[in-house]
Amino acid sequence: MSRRLPTLTAAALIATALAVLPGWSSPATAVDSNVATAGELGAALSTCTDGDTVTVSAAISDPTGAYDVSCTLTLNLSGVNVSVRNIVIGAAKTFTVTDTTPAPTGAGTLTANASGISNIAGIRNTGATFASAGRAHITAVSGIGGAGIGGESGGNGGTTTSNNDSTIYAVGINGSAGIGGGAGGGNGGTTTSNDNSTITAPNGSNAAGIGGGASGGNGGTTTSNDNSTISAAGGYGSPGIGSGSGGAGTKIGGTTTSNDNSTITATGGRFGAGIGSGGDGAGGTTTSNNTSTITATGGQYGAGIGGGSSGPGGITTSNNTSAINATG
């Protein structure tokens, strides 16, 4: 009596064939892990696999610690606080910080405070993405010349996104943006708020709250969606949102857009527009859509929206039932 052999799928046949090849091993798979110490956190971030989730189970304080994120990874604060000096996200990687703890239990805060250290960002995301989600709170303070979130000295900002009910608070010091470019002409990146999240970027001096660093960094792309809020203030010679101060050539203010029911509020420093540029920089493109609101207040000698004290204006458009309030 004949017996039927089991039928192998194509995938199984390929896996069987590859398994016998010398030097071949199966791809690493994403894992979930728990960390409770600075050492465990550093190892989990630097030796990870794309798709990993790391949950923090106890508060971690490492004010001198520098952490590298080498993969696309989610860090779940789970209601506890983590404090480090600075974080560097690998090129083309996405680092998401969330907190899935349900209300009313307090959510955790990730703090990256690089103040007093030269030329580094609190969270460097040049060529990479940093995102907040869930109920997580983020506080990022730059070193001298590096952005709160974005580029190191002379480096460009990356992609920064807030989601759900999370908050981001980012401060730039001594010529760097709160979110965006570092001092020395770093350009702003892409900054987006979604859902009910909040982004706040009060700046130190000579750079935009969100956008370019000092010495001529161009503004980036700033967008608020849903019911989210973005608030930004520029330093001396700089807009709240847009290009940094100084530098040779004409700086460009970038693109600022509010959608849905969201709100953008921007205040310029002396000689800076609320949204646009400072000094001789050109204003960018500012648009409000749906029922959103943009409020922009220029510093002394600066426009509410547009160029700096001696720069050309840009393009400003209000659509649907949205509102733009600009005061120079």
Side-chain angles (χ1 to χ4, degrees), residues 162-271:
S162 63
N163 301 300
N164 310 124
D165 297 304
S166 64
T167 67
I168 293 176
Y169 182 88
V171 179
I173 295 175
N174 209 21
S176 59
I179 300 175
N187 296 322
T190 299
T191 303
T192 306
S193 62
N194 298 312
D195 307 313
N196 298 305
S197 64
T198 300
I199 294 176
T200 305
N203 195 54
S205 62
N206 302 319
I210 298 175
S215 300
N218 291 317
T221 300
T222 303
T223 306
S224 62
N225 298 309
D226 308 314
N227 297 301
S228 65
T229 299
I230 294 177
S231 300
Y236 182 88
S238 301
I241 298 175
S243 68
S245 65
T250 300
K251 304 173 291 294
I252 305 299
T255 300
T256 303
T257 307
S258 63
N259 298 308
D260 309 314
N261 297 307
S262 65
T263 300
I264 294 177
T265 302
T267 303
R270 192 180 188 193
F271 301 109

Side-chain angles (χ1 to χ4, degrees), residues 108-198:
T109 298
L110 169 67
T111 300
N113 187 347
S115 60
I117 308 299
S118 296
N119 303 323
I120 65 173
I123 299 174
R124 193 190 79 180
N125 67 345
T126 301
T129 298
F130 176 75
S132 63
R135 298 174 58 232
H137 303 299
I138 311 299
T139 297
V141 180
S142 78
I144 300 170
I149 300 174
E152 295 180 340
S153 182
N156 298 330
T159 298
T160 302
T161 305
S162 63
N163 301 300
N164 310 124
D165 297 304
S166 64
T167 67
I168 293 176
Y169 182 88
V171 179
I173 295 175
N174 209 21
S176 59
I179 300 175
N187 296 322
T190 299
T191 303
T192 306
S193 62
N194 298 312
D195 307 313
N196 298 305
S197 64
T198 300

Side-chain angles (χ1 to χ4, degrees), residues 42-89:
L45 298 182
S46 63
T47 61
C48 54
T49 298
D50 285 353
D52 282 2
T53 297
V54 177
T55 299
V56 185
S57 58
I60 296 173
S61 179
D62 186 14
T64 62
Y67 290 76
D68 292 323
V69 179
S70 63
C71 69
T72 291
L73 173 143
T74 298
L75 180 70
N76 188 349
L77 298 176
S78 68
V80 300
N81 297 330
V82 174
S83 179
V84 301
R85 189 189 75 183
N86 69 292
I87 296 170
V88 175
I89 305 172

